[in-house]
């Protein structure tokens, strides 16, 4: 297993969705001027039109969103080092990040570290994160020996490194219409340690001269209504500790503008959601 773990990434993996983190890290390093950093999962990668933000707010947006299964804890840790004075940081976790152990990541966390060669990050993982990723190590190691990882593969139109534009938004689905998807049911009990992680991140941001806000993910209306009690609990809790943009209900979106999951939007949906975020940012007190 050890050999498979340390072997170079396969050709298929080198251009996978998760390896776009390299490009997003490069954006965080290089972007200058007034910056707006978006931190969250695929509700951001599939739900924002950053060009609208740039044109309306005259800032340089950086959409770091990739995949919710990386876990919000790692997303925050991976962003800390890039924070600069006067940055505006908007953290938008999917609702299930606040429940159960979703915040600690799954296989995508393992791949984010190994496929992007961020091995130093292993030293900073929490015990809870190790418990989540260690179960995927044999599968990941063995994948290096599969012929399909080296030839005959086809990159997914929506889930590859090339699916992102220069801001970090997924754009390859913008000409496509809604696909069928299942509504989400949020499972587990509230994980209040996520609030502690967000407060620690907020403290670091403030120490670096940046401002942090929490906002709400886009979610289809049916999933919103199914999980309304749990979403309301999140909304009440974050208002106790953070500057909050908008309301959960405002970001509940009709199925007609959803793409292929409860958190992914079509181009029309991304434009509507982005305008809502712009409005909330303009009305910061």
């Amino acid at each position: 297993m050890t050999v498979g773990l340390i072997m170079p990434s396969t050709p298929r993996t080198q251009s996978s969705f998760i390896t776009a983190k390299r490009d997003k890290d490069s954006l965080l390093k290089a972007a200058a001027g007034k910056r707006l950093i978006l931190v969250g999962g695929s509700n951001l990668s599939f739900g924002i039109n950053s060009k609208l933000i740039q044109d309306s707010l005259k800032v340089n947006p950086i959409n770091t969103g990739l995949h919710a299964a990386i876990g919000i804890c790692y997303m925050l840790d991976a962003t800390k080092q890039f924070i600069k004075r006067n940055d505006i940081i908007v953290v938008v976790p999917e609702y299930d990040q606040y429940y159960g152990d979703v915040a600690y990541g799954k296989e995508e966390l393992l791949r984010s570290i190994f496929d992007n060669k961020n091995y130093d990050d292993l030293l900073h993982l929490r015990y809870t994160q190790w418990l989540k990723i260690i179960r995927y190590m044999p599968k990941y190691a063995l994948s290096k020996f599969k012929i399909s990882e080296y030839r005959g593969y086809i990159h997914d139109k929506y889930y590859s490194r090339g699916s992102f534009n220069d801001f970090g938004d997924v754009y390859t689905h913008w000409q496509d219409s809604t696909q069928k998807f299942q509504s989400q049911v949020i499972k587990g009990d509230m994980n209040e340690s996520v609030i502690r992680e967000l407060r620690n991140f907020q403290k670091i941001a403030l120490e670096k001269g940046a401002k942090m806000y929490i906002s709400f993910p886009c979610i289809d209306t049916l999933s919103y209504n199914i999980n309304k009690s749990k979403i309301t609990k999140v909304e009440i809790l974050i208002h106790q500790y953070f500057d909050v943009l908008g309301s959960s209900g405002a970001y509940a979106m009709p199925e007609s503008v959803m793409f292929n999951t409860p958190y992914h939007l079509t181009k029309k949906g991304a434009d509507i959601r982005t305008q809502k975020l712009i409005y909330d940012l303009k009305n910061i007190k």
Side-chain angles (χ1 to χ4, degrees):
M1 185 177 79
T2 302
V3 174
L5 286 174
I6 63 176
M7 283 175 62
S9 299
T10 66
R12 187 190 68 80
T13 298
Q14 287 172 9
S15 55
S16 71
F17 194 75
I18 293 297
T19 57
K21 184 180 185 299
R22 304 173 192 176
D23 306 314
K24 298 191 176 214
D25 286 353
S26 295
L27 286 174
L28 287 166
K29 290 176 184 176
K34 190 173 182 181
R35 311 186 328 162
L36 177 70
I37 301 173
L38 299 168
V39 181
S42 61
N43 86 87
L44 292 174
S45 56
F46 277 86
I48 291 290
N49 183 348
S50 292
K51 187 67 169 64
L52 293 178
I53 295 175
Q54 185 182 60
D55 292 343
S56 181
L57 300 179
K58 309 304 177 186
V59 298
N60 293 322
I62 305 165
N63 185 349
T64 70
L66 273 174
H67 197 298
I70 293 173
I72 191 62
C73 291
Y74 184 75
M75 298 176 203
L76 296 173
D77 288 343
T79 306
K80 291 173 184 176
Q81 61 182 307
F82 299 111
I83 297 174
K84 297 180 181 179
R85 179 170 293 279
N86 297 323
D87 280 348
I88 298 172
I89 306 167
V90 182
V91 183
V92 194
E94 285 76 14
Y95 289 118
D96 50 344
Q97 297 283 346
Y98 295 98
Y99 287 89
D101 59 1
V102 177
Y104 306 128
K106 297 181 181 179
E107 182 178 359
E108 288 77 6
L109 173 57
L110 174 70
R111 287 189 169 275
S112 184
I113 293 173
F114 280 88
D115 290 342
N116 290 300
K117 301 180 180 179
N118 294 324
Y119 303 124
D120 287 347
D121 291 350
L122 293 170
L123 301 175
H124 306 292
L125 292 181
R126 297 154 190 78
Y127 176 70
T128 45
Q129 289 171 299
W130 274 107
L131 286 178
K132 291 299 293 290
I133 69 170
I134 199 166
R135 71 187 71 172
Y136 299 108
M137 286 186 174
K139 175 185 174 183
Y140 176 76
L142 289 173
S143 72
K144 302 286 185 69
F145 301 97
K146 291 183 177 180
I147 294 176
S148 59
E149 290 286 314
Y150 298 88
R151 64 174 187 234
Y153 56 87
I154 299 175
H155 292 301
D156 191 291
K157 175 182 177 182
Y158 310 125
Y159 298 98
S160 69
R161 189 175 180 182
S163 301
F164 297 88
N165 63 20
D166 291 341
F167 297 103
D169 311 326
V170 172
Y171 75 99
T172 49
H173 68 299
W174 280 0
Q175 302 301 318
D176 298 341
S177 55
T178 299
Q179 300 179 4
K180 284 188 176 182
F181 63 90
Q182 289 187 332
S183 301
Q184 184 188 41
V185 177
I186 299 172
K187 299 178 181 179
D189 297 324
M190 171 73 78
N191 183 354
E192 295 195 11
S193 67
V194 173
I195 299 299
R196 291 195 294 273
E197 296 289 347
L198 289 166
R199 293 185 72 183
N200 289 336
F201 181 83
Q202 180 185 50
K203 180 181 178 182
I204 291 171
L206 291 172
E207 289 172 349
K208 292 191 172 189
K211 294 181 180 179
M212 188 199 92
Y213 301 91
I214 301 288
S215 190
F216 301 96
C218 52
I219 189 171
D220 73 284
T221 304
L222 180 57
S223 294
Y224 178 82
N225 289 331
I226 290 172
N227 300 286
K228 191 168 183 179
S229 62
K230 287 194 169 185
I231 291 172
T232 299
K233 189 174 181 179
V234 169
E235 190 163 12
I236 292 170
L237 191 59
I238 61 176
H239 270 285
Q240 294 178 24
Y241 299 105
F242 307 104
D243 292 323
V244 179
L245 300 176
S247 66
S248 63
Y251 287 92
M253 309 290 285
E255 186 175 330
S256 60
V257 299
M258 305 307 298
F259 181 51
N260 62 351
T261 83
Y263 287 117
H264 294 179
L265 295 169
T266 61
K267 171 64 160 55
K268 180 179 179 181
D271 288 349
I272 295 170
R273 188 268 187 97
T274 303
Q275 292 291 1
K276 290 176 182 286
L277 181 60
I278 290 170
Y279 175 84
D280 290 336
L281 286 165
K282 283 183 174 179
N283 286 277
I284 291 173
K285 296 179 180 180

